[in-house]
């Protein structure tokens, strides 16, 4: 295998990068190598004996109706639903007892690889602006659907990613953010210079009105919305994936510059609602578990802020305002509770949830004074409820009938101790009456980063694992926000090793308590979770029986040089910084592979169209493992076509992916 003679000097440390040539996805050498690895992968899976049986059963388990939380627009109820094996969910309107198809993304491509990733209704209920992604790309396009005749208008917005769609109060058009047109700036700036525009219905994109830009701060990104009273255009301002954000606003009918209300980037600020000039925010400023404050925008110095709901023992995860009430979702040991407060912060009442789990989304109808929200758990797909604030009554809106009896399984929460003495929660789902004999196969899943919670959620693929007698374990590692911003900060930057220690300790706990043994303990993670399992595999090759490493971040010295990698610098740090380089180098999976070590069998799964975590990470990892690891080590690279980081992945591809995952686990763990 070709090796480049590339040595880079990082602040006095010489680092070899022999497989940098794999960073060029279109070179003849990379294509030849990728095809060779693809043939090895095909040969490996052709020898698996369980694939047909798993595929048949996964299709059965996936074949149930999946409901999404509805939105009420001008008295009309709209919601997404997937009948079962449809590649993409369909948008419906409820018309008495009938369902009327509004938009079916399955008709946008023959293979289901064009997905609707965002949508927003105009204020008058006449139009739907919707964004689509092709092959899982982060780049999206926006079109407008006339809801009366079901036809698309000629309007077509391009070069957008991570944008909101914010209709003006008069429904003449919408605000959105976009990046420079490819080729108009240097390649490294194609995800910089984000700008906010207003698109008026019927106009060409080239004629869209520029609303806001900050070229002096080219790395900032903007997300627009309209205040609850339709009087202000507001902007969230982000630097990469940093939790801290800024907040700007101006009157909706003004062309004056935005008032930079909160411009220090010192905390998270989420708009909740406003009453004239009094704005309510959820923030973690001096309150790691979050609090609700009110700010008079005409007198917005922080000495004049008022605490409405002070910091609580449980984390404030989400807040919705509805007619002078605040509905607050609290996180308690990684599951949700809903409480209602008055706008002055006094407690009103609890909303008792029928199951112990996570809420998936929440929408409101001011006219009817009601909420719609979804609740899910490891053993329950999303159940959608309606809650009337006047009567305080909870009613069922939509629930799935599953092709399996789930009473045979259970979820328990345990707590274990990490390396530094920190108590970490973990959910275990398995058959009832599980025997602790050390023989149970386990998938241990984790993420641990970017302020993302691993609360209970449903995946039909996991039901197959449970049927096989497996345990599905989800560890709530530091780096998430299960216990607030302090929990997040204790797993980022120079403290990232805490996340790996938490995950390793989870595996040790499962073995020490006779749930399983090393040979039957597999670990799985994707993206930042792919980094997690790769780092843990490299640090503790003796602990795991198999590793599934999905769309992973692997090269911690160069990750920020690809596509949107620089957005993650606030979370990881940068090797260009002499103070941050040492800890990145110390755990970077690519740079810590040891000669001659027998690593556990690893399936590295990536996708050709992944423009978030580029496939070069996975390719360089596979190549380096094949060079250095003991020759008995099993290293499989699964490179998927017409797929990206996971955004909008069609059902058919999800099933095939899990067929291969289970074939790998069955083969490597007997």
């Amino acid at each position: 295998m070709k090796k480049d003679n590339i040595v880079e000097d990082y602040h006095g440390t010489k680092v070899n990068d022999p497989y940098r040539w794999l960073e060029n996805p279109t070179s003849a050498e990379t294509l030849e190598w990728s095809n060779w690895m693809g043939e090895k992968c095909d040969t490996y899976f052709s020898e698996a004996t369980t694939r047909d049986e798993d595929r048949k059963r996964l299709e059965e388990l996936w074949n149930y109706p999946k409901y999404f939380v509805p939105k009420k627009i001008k008295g009309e109820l709209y919601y997404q639903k997937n009948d079962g094996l449809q590649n993409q969910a369909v948008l419906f309107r409820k018309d008495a007892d009938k369902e009327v198809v509004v938009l079916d993304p399955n008709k946008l491509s023959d293979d289901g690889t064009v997905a609707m990733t965002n949508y927003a209704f105009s204020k008058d209920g006449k139009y739907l602006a919707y964004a689509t992604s092709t092959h899982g790309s982060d780049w999206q396009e926006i079109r407008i659907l006339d809801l009366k005749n079901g036809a698309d208008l000629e309007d077509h917005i391009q070069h957008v990613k991570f944008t909101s769609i914010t209709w003006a109060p008069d429904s003449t058009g919408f605000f959105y953010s976009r990046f420079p047109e490819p080729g108009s700036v240097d390649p490294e700036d194609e995800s910089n210079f984000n700008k906010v525009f207003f698109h008026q219905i019927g106009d060409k994109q080239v004629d869209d009105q520029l609303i806001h830009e900050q070229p002096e701060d080219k790395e900032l990104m903007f997300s627009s919305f309209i205040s609850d009273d339709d009087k202000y255009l507001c902007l969230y301002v982000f630097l990469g994936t940093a939790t801290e954000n800024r907040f700007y606003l101006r009157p909706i009918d003004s062309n004056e510059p935005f008032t930079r209300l909160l411009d220090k980037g010192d905390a998270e600020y989420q708009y909740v609602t406003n009453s004239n000039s009094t704005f309510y925010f959820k923030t973690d400023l001096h309150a790691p578990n979050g609090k609700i404050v009110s700010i008079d925008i005409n007198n917005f110095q922080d000495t004049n802020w008022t605490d409405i709901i002070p910091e609580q023992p449980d984390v404030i995860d989400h807040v919705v305002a509805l007619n002078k009430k605040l509905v607050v979702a609290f996180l308690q040991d990684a599951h949700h509770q809903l409480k209602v407060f008055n706008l002055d912060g006094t407690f009103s009442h609890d909303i008792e949830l029928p199951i112990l789990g996570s809420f998936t989304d929440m929408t409101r109808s001011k006219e009817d004074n009601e909420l719609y929200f979804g609740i899910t758990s490891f053993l329950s797909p999303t159940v959608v409820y309606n809650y009337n604030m006047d009567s305080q009554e909870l009613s069922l809106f939509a629930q799935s009938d599953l092709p399996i009896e789930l009473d045979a399984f259970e979820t328990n929460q345990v707590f274990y101790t990490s390396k530094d003495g920190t108590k970490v929660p973990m959910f275990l789902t398995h058959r009832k009456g599980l025997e602790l004999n050390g023989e149970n196969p386990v998938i241990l899943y984790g993420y641990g980063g970017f302020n993302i919670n691993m609360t209970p959620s449903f995946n039909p693929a996991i039901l197959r694992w449970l049927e096989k007698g497996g345990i599905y374990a989800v560890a709530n590692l530091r780096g998430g926000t299960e216990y607030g911003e302090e929990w997040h900060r204790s797993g980022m930057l120079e403290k990232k090793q805490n996340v790996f220690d938490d995950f390793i300790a989870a595996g040790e706990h499962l073995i020490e308590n006779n749930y399983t043994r090393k040979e039957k303990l597999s670990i799985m993670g994707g993206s930042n979770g792919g980094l997690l399992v790769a780092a843990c595999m490299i640090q503790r090759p003796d602990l795991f029986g198999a590793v599934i490493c999905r769309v992973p971040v692997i090269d911690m010295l160069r990750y920020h040089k690809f596509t949107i990698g620089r957005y993650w610098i606030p979370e990881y740090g940068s090797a260009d910084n002499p103070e941050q380089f040492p800890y990145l180098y110390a755990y970077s999976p690519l740079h810590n592979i040891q000669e001659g070590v027998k690593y556990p069998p690893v399936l590295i799964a990536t996708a050709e169209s992944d423009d978030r975590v580029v496939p070069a990470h996975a390719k360089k990892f596979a190549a380096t493992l094949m060079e250095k690891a003991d020759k008995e080590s099993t290293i499989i690279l699964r490179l998927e076509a017409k797929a990206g980081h996971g955004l909008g992945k069609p059902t058919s591809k999800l099933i095939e992916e899990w067929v291969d995952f289970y074939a790998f686990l069955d083969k490597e763990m007997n």
Side-chain angles (χ1 to χ4, degrees):
M1 194 185 329
K2 175 187 173 181
K3 293 177 66 177
D4 281 337
N5 186 25
I6 293 177
V7 180
E8 194 155 351
D9 188 324
Y10 289 91
H11 321 291
T13 299
K14 301 289 197 301
V15 179
N16 292 312
D17 196 2
Y19 299 111
R20 189 174 291 186
W21 56 275
L22 286 169
E23 293 177 3
N24 182 352
T26 58
S27 73
E29 293 167 320
T30 300
L31 291 172
E32 182 181 359
W33 182 88
S34 298
N35 289 335
W36 173 63
M37 291 298 291
E39 291 170 2
K40 283 172 59 69
C41 179
D42 291 343
T43 300
Y44 176 88
F45 284 116
S46 70
E47 297 168 355
T49 59
T50 58
R51 299 179 83 239
D52 291 342
E53 181 184 350
D54 280 336
R55 182 182 296 105
K56 180 175 182 294
R57 185 56 179 149
L58 283 168
E59 288 175 351
E60 292 170 351
L61 292 170
W62 230 285
N63 195 10
Y64 67 92
K66 301 162 189 69
Y67 297 97
F68 297 74
V69 176
K71 299 179 181 180
K72 188 169 275 189
I73 308 294
K74 288 292 184 181
E76 300 275 12
L77 205 58
Y78 294 88
Y79 56 93
Q80 287 179 279
K81 187 183 80 170
N82 187 315
D83 284 342
L85 294 177
Q86 289 175 295
N87 277 318
Q88 303 292 341
V90 178
L91 180 63
F92 291 96
R93 183 180 70 250
K94 190 77 168 175
D95 190 358
D97 292 331
K98 292 188 294 185
E99 292 181 331
V100 178
V101 174
V102 176
L103 181 63
D104 184 356
N106 296 289
K107 295 182 178 179
L108 300 178
S109 63
D110 293 335
D111 56 5
T113 56
V114 175
M116 181 173 71
T117 53
N118 190 12
Y119 66 95
F121 293 92
S122 61
K123 300 279 186 174
D124 60 11
K126 293 182 180 179
Y127 299 104
L128 174 77
Y130 66 98
T132 58
S133 163
T134 300
H135 298 167
S137 173
D138 281 337
W139 288 108
Q140 297 165 55
E141 304 174 35
I142 302 174
R143 293 176 172 82
I144 302 175
L145 181 70
D146 186 325
L147 292 170
K148 185 174 182 180
N149 61 25
D152 277 343
L153 305 183
E154 293 185 2
D155 306 55
H156 185 199
I157 305 298
Q158 297 176 289
H159 315 308
V160 300
K161 66 167 84 171
F162 316 126
T163 184
S164 55
I165 302 173
T166 305
W167 282 94
D170 61 6
S171 298
T172 57
F174 56 84
F175 301 90
Y176 70 99
S177 60
R178 80 169 191 243
F179 292 93
E181 186 170 345
S184 65
V185 294
D186 292 336
E188 61 267 23
D189 278 330
E190 287 186 357
S191 290
N192 287 327
F193 297 111
N194 195 234
K195 301 178 183 181
V196 181
F197 287 87
F198 178 73
H199 174 76
Q200 184 164 305
I201 294 176
D203 283 357
K204 301 290 187 184
Q205 184 175 9
V206 69
D207 298 321
D208 287 352
Q209 179 187 356
L210 176 63
I211 300 299
H212 183 74
E213 64 175 336
Q214 276 177 247
E216 71 277 14
D217 295 310
K218 69 177 184 178
E219 295 184 347
L220 294 180
M221 294 190 298
F222 308 99
S223 180
S224 62
F225 68 94
I226 305 292
S227 62
D228 277 354
D229 58 5
D230 287 340
K231 292 181 180 178
Y232 297 92
L233 173 62
C234 307
L235 297 179
Y236 288 126
V237 184
F238 300 100
L239 179 62
T241 56
T243 305
E244 301 82 8
N245 66 285
R246 311 177 194 188
F247 182 85
Y248 302 168
L249 84 168
R250 77 180 190 194
I252 190 69
D253 55 358
S254 169
N255 288 319
E256 295 298 313
F258 282 81
T259 297
R260 301 188 180 188
L261 190 77
L262 303 163
D263 200 29
K264 295 180 181 178
D266 56 353
E268 177 191 51
Y269 299 99
Q270 290 185 10
Y271 168 88
V272 176
T273 190
N274 69 295
S275 177
N276 297 316
S277 65
T278 301
F279 275 59
Y280 296 81
F281 291 92
K282 168 187 172 289
T283 182
D284 57 14
L285 183 68
H286 310 310
N289 285 0
K291 63 181 179 180
I292 310 296
V293 301
S294 65
I295 301 174
D296 185 340
I297 62 173
N298 297 317
N299 191 15
F300 55 84
Q301 292 77 15
D302 55 11
T303 53
N304 299 317
W305 298 4
T306 300
D307 283 1
I308 301 300
I309 301 177
E311 185 178 25
Q312 311 279 312
D314 293 328
V315 176
I316 297 178
D317 191 47
H318 191 71
V319 187
V320 169
L322 180 60
N323 297 337
K324 297 187 178 180
K325 298 282 188 183
L326 300 175
V327 182
V328 183
F330 286 94
L331 265 179
Q332 185 180 73
D333 290 332
H335 63 269
H336 283 108
Q337 295 182 328
L338 292 181
K339 297 180 181 293
V340 181
F341 295 82
N342 299 307
L343 203 53
D344 64 3
T346 56
F347 175 74
S348 175
H349 61 278
D350 291 313
I351 299 178
E352 297 292 341
L353 300 180
I355 61 174
L356 187 72
S358 316
F359 95 89
T360 59
D361 191 13
M362 185 180 294
T363 63
R364 60 187 179 172
S365 171
K366 293 182 183 179
E367 295 78 11
D368 300 317
N369 203 27
E370 62 184 11
L371 301 167
Y372 289 92
F373 60 85
I375 299 291
T376 186
S377 73
F378 293 111
L379 292 173
S380 172
T382 298
V383 181
V384 182
Y385 293 95
N386 170 275
Y387 184 77
N388 186 285
M389 292 287 281
D390 294 324
S391 64
Q392 297 184 20
E393 290 182 351
L394 186 70
S395 58
L396 180 67
F397 175 77
Q399 186 174 18
S400 303
D401 291 323
L402 289 173
I404 183 175
E405 182 55 62
L406 293 180
D407 288 344
F409 308 105
E410 63 182 357
T411 297
N412 297 299
Q413 189 177 40
V414 300
F415 293 83
Y416 65 92
T417 304
S418 190
K419 181 178 180 179
D420 63 356
T422 299
K423 187 172 72 169
V424 182
M426 177 165 54
F427 292 104
L428 303 177
T429 303
H430 49 73
R431 283 191 184 276
K432 291 179 179 176
L434 180 77
E435 187 177 350
L436 298 182
N437 57 8
E439 293 297 323
N440 303 295
V442 172
I443 294 176
L444 173 58
Y445 186 88
Y447 188 79
F450 294 94
N451 213 30
I452 293 174
N453 299 320
M454 290 291 103
T455 55
S457 62
F458 187 78
N459 181 350
I462 297 303
L463 299 180
R464 179 59 177 156
W465 184 247
L466 303 181
E467 284 184 336
K468 289 169 174 273
I471 298 173
Y472 182 60
V474 177
N476 298 109
L477 315 170
R478 282 175 282 187
T481 189
E482 287 86 347
Y483 294 106
E485 182 59 14
E486 285 185 0
W487 193 253
H488 172 219
R489 289 185 176 278
S490 63
M492 60 184 281
L493 295 172
E494 77 280 1
K495 297 179 180 178
K496 186 68 176 177
Q497 183 59 41
N498 285 337
V499 184
F500 311 139
D501 291 341
D502 289 355
F503 200 58
I504 288 167
E508 291 174 335
H509 176 88
L510 291 168
I511 293 171
E512 289 166 2
N513 288 273
N514 282 328
Y515 287 99
T516 191
R517 53 188 169 89
K518 174 253 182 180
E519 291 79 9
K520 289 184 175 290
L521 174 59
S522 68
I523 54 175
M524 176 187 287
S527 193
N528 173 73
L531 163 63
L532 167 74
V533 298
C536 291
M537 161 189 155
I538 298 302
Q539 292 182 18
R540 286 297 304 276
D542 61 306
L543 186 59
F544 309 110
V547 179
I548 297 178
C549 181
R550 305 168 69 178
V551 290
V553 187
I554 295 291
D555 185 343
M556 299 310 296
L557 304 188
R558 288 176 59 78
Y559 76 85
H560 58 297
K561 298 181 181 295
F562 308 113
T563 60
I564 64 163
R566 65 157 185 86
Y567 293 178
W568 316 326
I569 290 175
E571 183 79 12
Y572 293 141
S574 168
D576 297 338
N577 183 323
E579 294 180 359
Q580 295 175 335
F581 164 75
Y583 66 73
L584 286 164
Y585 190 44
Y587 75 73
S588 177
L590 184 67
H591 302 96
N592 285 278
I593 299 170
Q594 300 299 309
E595 293 273 3
V597 172
K598 190 174 191 306
Y599 290 104
V602 57
L603 172 59
I604 308 165
T606 187
E608 288 179 348
S609 301
D610 192 340
D611 51 12
R612 189 175 305 182
V613 181
V614 294
H617 284 278
K619 292 176 181 178
K620 290 172 73 174
F621 190 41
T624 307
L625 281 169
M626 292 174 68
E627 175 201 347
K628 291 187 174 182
D630 179 272
K631 298 311 175 188
E632 296 298 312
S633 300
T634 299
I635 301 144
I636 305 298
L637 178 67
R638 185 184 191 273
L639 182 60
E640 189 170 19
K642 290 187 176 182
H645 199 61
L647 182 70
K649 181 173 282 192
T651 297
S652 57
K653 282 185 172 289
L654 289 171
I655 290 175
E656 283 304 311
E657 188 174 49
W658 279 95
V659 167
D660 285 352
F661 292 166
Y662 286 142
F664 172 74
L665 294 178
D666 287 344
K667 189 171 181 179
E668 300 302 336
M669 300 200 303
N670 298 317

